[in-house]
Amino acid sequence: MIVVFKPDATQDQVNQVAELVTGMGLRVHFNKGTERQIMGAVGDDRKLQSANWQSWAGVEQVIPILAPYKLVSRDFQKHDSSIDVRGEKIGAKDKMQVIAGPCSVENVEQMMHLSDVVKTEGLGFLRGGAYKPRTSPYAFQGLESEGLDILMEAKKKTGLRIVTELMDPRDIPLFEGRADVIQIGARNMQNFRLLKEVGQLKTPVLLKRGLANTMKELLMAAEYIAAGGNLNIILCERGIRTFEPDTRNTFDVSAIPVLKEKTHLPVIADPSHAGGRWDLVEPLALAAVAAGADGLIVEIHHQPEKALCDGDQALKPKKFTKLMEKIRAVAKIVGRDA
Ligand code: PEP
Ligand code: MN
C-alpha cells in the first residue's frame, strides 16, 4: 500500500502514521517527492486495508499498489531513480554510464592494462569477475579472494568504481567496503537467500536478468533486495534463452523500455553476454542506447584468444575505443552524454 501525505503534513504526523503502520506488522519505506511525502508499506497489509485511515492526521490517501512488486514499481515512485556510486550516477537523465572490463580477473598485469584502457576512455566503472559462475565445474572458477585483491589494486591506481559478482552470501565480508557495485549474475537472479542478504547492505546492486526469466520475475527479484531496505538497484538486460542457436542468447531490446515503464530503477544492457560474439557487441550496444538504456556493461580483453573466460565476446581495446565513439554519437541523439 502507499500512504500519500498531504503537502502540509508535519513530520510529527508522518512519524505517528509510520508508527501505526509498523504496529500492524508492516515495513515502511519513505519517498520524498517534490510536493509531498509518500510512504510505502509492505508486508501483509490486510490490517491497513481495513483501517480507518481517513481519520489519520496528515494523510491524504491510502492506495494499493497493484503490481506484485511494490517498492520498485512506478506506483511507489514516479520519477526515475539514479543510483549514486561514489559520485557517479547510474540512471541520470543526461548521462549514461559505460562499465567495461574483462569477464574475469586473470592476473595483475591484465587488470592494470585493462583498467588503464577504461580510465583513458574517460569512464568511471571497471568490471571484472573474481568469483565466476561457470557451467562446468572444471572450467576456470575465478581467482576468488585474490581476484578481489587485484581489483582493489586497480581501484587504488585508477580510482575506478569496481563492479564484481557475488555468488555466495558467505563472501559478503570480503566485498563490503571494497566492491562499489555488487553484481548478482543471471544464474543467481532467483537465489532468494542471496537477494535477501544484499538487501541488508547499502552497496548498489547490479541485478542481471536470468537466462529464462520474465521481466516480472526480474522485478520480483529486485523487490527482494528492496524489501530488505536496499533500493540501490540497477537492472540489467543481458539476453534471454530462445530457440535461436546462432547467438549465445537473444537480446531482448524491448525489455529496456518495458522495464522502464514498470519500474523507477535504472536499466542497463549487456551486449557482450547477449550476443556472445564480439562482432555483435557494437550493433547490440547501439540498439540498447537508442532504446533508452541508462548504461552498458561491456567485456573487453587485450588478448581475447587467451582469455580464461568469454574470449569470443571480448572487444579488443582499439575496437572498444571505436565503439565508444559510436555510443557517444547515438547517446547524443537520445539526449545523453556517455
Ligand atoms: C558476467 O557478467 O560475466 C556474467 C557471468 O554474466 P551473466 O550472469 O549475465 O551471464
Ligand atoms: Mn562474462
Side-chain angles (χ1 to χ4, degrees):
M1 305 284 276
I2 302 176
V3 179
V4 183
F5 290 97
K6 292 178 178 159
D8 59 354
T10 64
Q11 196 52 48
D12 267 358
Q13 289 170 337
V14 171
N15 293 345
Q16 269 169 21
V17 171
E19 213 170 291
L20 258 172
V21 172
T22 43
M24 295 174 178
L26 296 170
R27 288 185 71 134
V28 297
H29 300 262
F30 289 98
N31 195 330
K32 260 204 164 87
T34 43
E35 273 180 36
R36 60 189 82 223
Q37 216 175 143
I38 281 178
M39 186 179 81
V42 290
D44 179 354
D45 58 12
R46 280 171 297 182
K47 281 189 188 153
L48 179 56
Q49 279 181 40
S50 52
N52 180 25
W53 57 263
Q54 285 85 351
S55 66
W56 297 350
V59 172
E60 188 169 277
Q61 243 189 328
V62 175
I63 33 182
I65 302 177
L66 295 176
Y69 39 87
K70 310 290 178 190
L71 301 171
V72 306
S73 76
R74 276 277 179 205
D75 289 343
F76 178 57
Q77 183 183 300
K78 296 274 176 276
H79 65 272
D80 290 339
S81 282
S82 78
I83 313 298
D84 193 301
V85 187
R86 285 202 291 118
E88 277 290 336
K89 292 200 165 65
I90 301 183
K93 230 177 201 55
D94 55 351
K95 187 174 179 188
M96 55 161 300
Q97 298 285 358
V98 178
I99 303 164
C103 178
S104 314
V105 179
E106 296 172 0
N107 53 59
V108 177
E109 295 69 37
Q110 172 226 25
M111 281 319 294
M112 291 305 133
H113 184 77
L114 293 173
S115 57
D116 270 348
V117 170
V118 175
K119 180 83 183 168
T120 308
E121 204 46 59
L123 302 174
F125 293 83
L126 177 69
R127 65 151 289 151
Y131 294 85
K132 294 304 302 177
R134 304 304 300 278
T135 302
S136 166
Y138 309 118
F140 175 61
Q141 303 286 306
L143 295 182
E144 305 190 332
S145 70
E146 190 195 333
L148 286 179
D149 292 342
I150 296 174
L151 284 170
M152 290 311 105
E153 266 188 63
K155 176 173 173 171
K156 202 167 156 197
K157 182 165 168 247
T158 58
L160 290 168
R161 293 152 195 82
I162 302 297
V163 181
T164 192
E165 179 164 354
L166 171 74
M167 298 206 302
D168 188 325
R170 289 173 294 186
D171 297 323
I172 287 177
L174 284 174
F175 280 62
E176 259 192 308
R178 301 172 86 203
D180 295 291
V181 177
I182 293 179
Q183 177 173 321
I184 301 292
R187 288 155 193 82
N188 271 316
M189 189 205 86
Q190 285 188 312
N191 181 339
F192 300 114
R193 288 287 298 272
L194 186 59
L195 299 176
K196 281 184 185 176
E197 292 291 337
V198 295
Q200 298 302 314
L201 310 177
K202 289 198 168 60
T203 313
V205 177
L206 172 59
L207 178 64
K208 299 186 91 176
R209 183 178 181 182
L211 274 69
N213 284 110
T214 62
M215 294 184 221
K216 187 170 158 188
E217 286 163 344
L218 172 60
L219 292 166
M220 292 307 291
E223 186 74 14
Y224 262 90
I225 303 170
N230 188 356
L231 269 149
N232 297 316
I233 308 164
I234 302 134
L235 302 177
C236 181
E237 161 57 35
R238 45 77 74 206
I240 48 174
R241 181 164 290 179
T242 68
F243 50 79
E244 177 54 65
D246 271 356
T247 50
R248 184 175 179 184
N249 292 291
T250 297
F251 182 46
D252 183 6
V253 72
S254 59
I256 298 162
V258 173
L259 287 169
K260 287 189 72 70
E261 174 199 321
K262 293 181 187 299
T263 179
H264 52 86
L265 299 176
V267 180
I268 71 165
D270 176 343
S272 308
H273 291 88
R277 288 169 29 185
W278 70 267
D279 58 317
L280 295 180
V281 173
E282 180 182 303
L284 300 186
L286 299 182
V289 178
D294 295 301
L296 296 169
I297 179 163
V298 179
E299 288 187 346
I300 60 173
H301 203 290
H302 57 308
Q303 293 170 310
E305 60 292 345
K306 290 193 184 156
L308 297 179
C309 184
D310 286 351
D312 292 348
Q313 65 197 35
L315 282 186
K316 288 187 185 164
K318 270 202 184 117
K319 284 249 159 36
F320 177 61
T321 300
K322 286 228 161 68
L323 171 66
M324 280 308 304
E325 275 173 30
K326 293 196 179 177
I327 286 173
R328 291 193 167 108
V330 177
K332 207 168 187 169
I333 294 170
V334 292
R336 276 178 146 158
D337 288 336

